[in-house]
Each structure stands twice: as structure tokens, then as C-alpha cells.
Amino acid sequence: MRGLAAVCVFFHHTTIWFHFTKTNQWVPPTANFFNQLGQGAVGIFFLLTAFLFWGKLRDEPQIDWVRLFLSRILRLSPLYLTSMAVMVGIAYLAAGRPATGLGWNTLFTVVSFGGIADIFGIKNAFVINAGVTWTLHYEWIFYCALPFWALALRGYKRLRVVGGIGLVVAGAVIYLMWHAYGVDSDMLMFFAAGILSAEFCRWPGALRLKAFLISAWGSALVLLLLVGLVLTFHSAYTVGAAIVYGLIFTPIALGNDMFGILTTGTLRKLGEVSYGIYLLQGFVLYAFFRSATVRETPLDHWLWAIPAAVVLVVLAQLSFTLIERPAMNRVIPVSARLRQLRF
């Protein structure tokens, strides 16, 4: 699902680029379908995150918090920081090697997963990477909320010094990101939908519905909900749309493979490199379409979008092999060393 969602975001931004070349305005697509491709896919990312990590809280008797947060840091940071370095380099060249450097505010937003909006005097520099980094601070707010939910769920009788420090740090991160970037409550509904889906899948009564929900009839129901959602909602970032996406996601969470599509080798591979597809797509679109003119036809645009998608997948595979996987392989040895520390 992550791979499919990442590709959908790419074609969403491809549509935005077509409008951008005509009007110089970066705005959501007017067509419900193309807008839902991107916004709905982002909602699916949040749903998946909430479903998986809430499941950890519910199913694992003891959470290894050091390993969990280290895995998130080493999963998200290396490619993100690499992409920020690439963006700075592109902006520097595009600005004609300006004399002004990076300010402390820019460095803070980069380190705190805020991305870059304006740099080197270039307004709307986010176009270079399609502004995709805005979702990451939502992810981090959710991750940092997990220890507090674990505390509420399990009612720890004894909280060690390290745990107390961890809660303070997690709370500080939530506060700083919330204060610096703001949080749209409608976005939080996707996390809530993922949590509810995780609870539903663990509800004993769900077993009576599972046979239907994972059947071909369940797949047809998912498709019907998708069609109804596209016809009804222009924006996915509403409470109503989040609820529908939760209903769409739940049969898949129970095991519905959508007529076998979600278990194909191609989608599994795309899922493996989905973070790279999501994070690097802006650079590929910028390279392919920044020189497009107002005379470009929709056919021309979409014919170029296909090779752009191929290039993006190749780059994502390279980034996974050279950057992401080596970092993820360090989680176990590094977490083992950190656990040896004593306070």
C-alpha cells in the first residue's frame, strides 16, 4: 500500500506541475480524482503508521523504546537530510550562486524535519522538491506521542530515570513541532482512523465479518467506497473523508488483497522503496518539467510523466540500496550499545 500511495502522490504532483507551468501557481488539482491521488495517499501513509505502531503498543508486552526511536531516526533521517542537501545545492545553482548563506532559521527547520520553503532569495523554493517534507513532522508528533499512550494503556507502576527523561524529550519534540509548524486537526483524524482500524481488527466480532471483508465482495465494497469518495470529496483533508478512508483501509488491514493486486511482486518492491519515491519525486519533476512552456499540451505532459516515473523508481531503488538499507542495518548494533548505558 505504501508503494501504491507513493506513486499516487507522484501523479498528483505531476498534475500540479502542469498547472504550475501555465499559471506559476502551486495549487491542488481542481479535479477530485487527481486531488485525491495525492491527499488520499498521504492519508493512507498516516493510517498505516497509526495502524502499525498502535498495534505494537497493543500486542507487545514490553516495548524497546530505544530500538523503536532509533529505528525511526535511522529510517527517516539519512535520506531526508540527503534530499535537503540536494535541494540546497539545486537552489544555490538556480539562484546564480548568491552571496547570502543559510540562516539559523533555515537550519532549524531542516533539522526539525520542516523542510525548506524559501532559500537564497528564491521564493517558493519548495517547488524543487514538491514540498513533500511537510508530512514528516506529523509522523514525528505521532511517534513521540506513543510513550504517553503506552503510559496510559499500561499504567506503569515504576518509571525509571531514563523513561522519565524520554517522556520529557518526547513532550518537548511534540511541543516544538506543534508550535513551529502547526497541526491540522483533520490530519489527526487519519491517525485516529488507523488506531480505530487496529482496534477493530483485534475485536473478536471482526472475525465474523472477516470472511466477507477479505472476499471479492469485500474488494468490490472497497472499490465502491473509493468511487463514492472521489465523487463526493474534493479534499481528503476533512473528517468525513478520513472516516471513509478508514473504512476503505480496514478490509485491507484484515487481509483483503484487492483481487491479488496488493500482493504482486511489483507493488511489494515499490513498497520497499516507497520512502524514496515519496521524498525524491520533486527533484525528478523539477528536472523534467521546469523548462516546460505554456504551449505544452496535456498529452505532451503525460508522455513525459511516464519516463519521469521510471527515473524516479530507479533513483528510489538506488537510494534504498546506498542510503536507507545501510542505515536500517545499523539499528540493532547501535541500539545494543545504547542499552548498555546506565543512569
Side-chain angles (χ1 to χ4, degrees), residues 253-271:
L254 284 170
N256 191 312
D257 60 8
M258 294 303 296
F259 305 109
I261 295 173
L262 295 179
T263 55
T264 60
T266 300
L267 275 188
R268 286 183 177 273
K269 190 62 181 176
L270 289 176

Side-chain angles (χ1 to χ4, degrees), residues 96 106 121 142 175 290 308 319 328:
T106 300
F142 178 82
Y175 173 79
R290 74 182 187 281
S319 72
M328 290 188 292

Side-chain angles (χ1 to χ4, degrees), residues 5-287:
V7 171
C8 286
V9 175
F10 169 79
F11 285 109
H12 167 82
H13 283 135
T14 301
T15 308
I16 291 177
W17 257 102
F18 179 75
H19 181 79
F20 183 72
T21 59
K22 302 291 188 294
T23 65
N24 203 37
Q25 294 181 338
W26 189 270
V27 294
T30 55
N32 289 9
F33 174 76
F34 285 108
N35 200 44
Q36 290 292 341
L37 275 183
Q39 294 185 356
V42 168
I44 290 295
F45 287 146
F46 293 160
L47 272 164
L48 281 164
T49 294
F51 177 84
L52 293 171
F53 284 90
W54 185 263
K56 284 182 177 292
L57 293 186
R58 298 286 278 115
D59 297 340
E60 296 183 14
Q62 186 70 31
I63 302 293
D64 186 341
W65 293 106
V66 171
R67 181 172 176 177
L68 187 149
F69 277 98
L70 185 63
S71 71
R72 294 301 85 202
I73 292 171
L74 292 180
R75 183 69 184 94
L76 299 180
S77 299
L79 185 58
Y80 164 76
L81 293 175
T82 301
S83 73
M84 289 295 96
V86 171
M87 184 174 179
V88 169
I90 293 174
Y92 184 75
L93 294 175
R97 300 183 178 182
T100 58
L102 298 175
W104 286 109
N105 289 339
T106 300
L107 292 175
F108 171 78
T109 58
V110 168
V111 173
S112 60
F113 288 87
I116 300 175
D118 301 325
I119 186 173
F120 300 134
I122 300 177
K123 294 297 183 182
N124 298 327
F126 68 87
V127 170
I128 296 173
N129 74 337
V132 295
T133 57
W134 70 269
T135 63
L136 295 180
H137 74 266
Y138 279 93
E139 295 273 351
W140 276 112
I141 286 173
F142 178 82
Y143 296 142
C144 290
L146 288 173
F148 296 97
W149 283 330
L151 192 66
L153 283 172
R154 302 179 182 189
Y156 291 135
K157 296 180 180 179
R158 181 184 177 187
L159 188 64
R160 297 180 179 178
V161 174
V162 175
I165 294 174
L167 286 173
V168 171
V169 172
V173 171
I174 292 174
Y175 173 79
L176 287 174
M177 286 192 170
W178 200 300
H179 177 73
Y181 306 118
V183 172
D184 188 339
S185 59
D186 290 339
M187 299 295 178
L188 300 181
M189 285 298 300
F190 284 100
F191 291 108
I195 291 172
L196 290 175
S197 181
E199 288 295 323
F200 178 82
C201 291
R202 287 161 178 77
W203 175 51
L207 294 176
R208 294 192 293 269
L209 300 173
K210 184 175 180 178
F212 168 76
L213 291 176
I214 67 173
S215 68
W217 289 106
S219 300
L221 176 62
V222 169
L223 290 176
L224 184 63
L225 287 171
L226 275 172
V227 171
L229 188 148
V230 170
L231 292 176
T232 305
F233 295 95
H234 175 253
S235 173
Y237 303 149
T238 63
V239 174
I243 292 172
V244 177
Y245 273 110
L247 294 174
I248 290 169
F249 174 78
T250 298
I252 297 171
L254 284 170
N256 191 312
D257 60 8
M258 294 303 296
F259 305 109
I261 295 173
L262 295 179
T263 55
T264 60
T266 300
L267 275 188
R268 286 183 177 273
K269 190 62 181 176
L270 289 176
E272 184 179 59
V273 301
S274 60
Y275 187 49
I277 293 174
Y278 179 76
L279 211 56
L280 302 177
Q281 62 182 271
F283 302 129
V284 174
L285 290 169
Y286 183 78

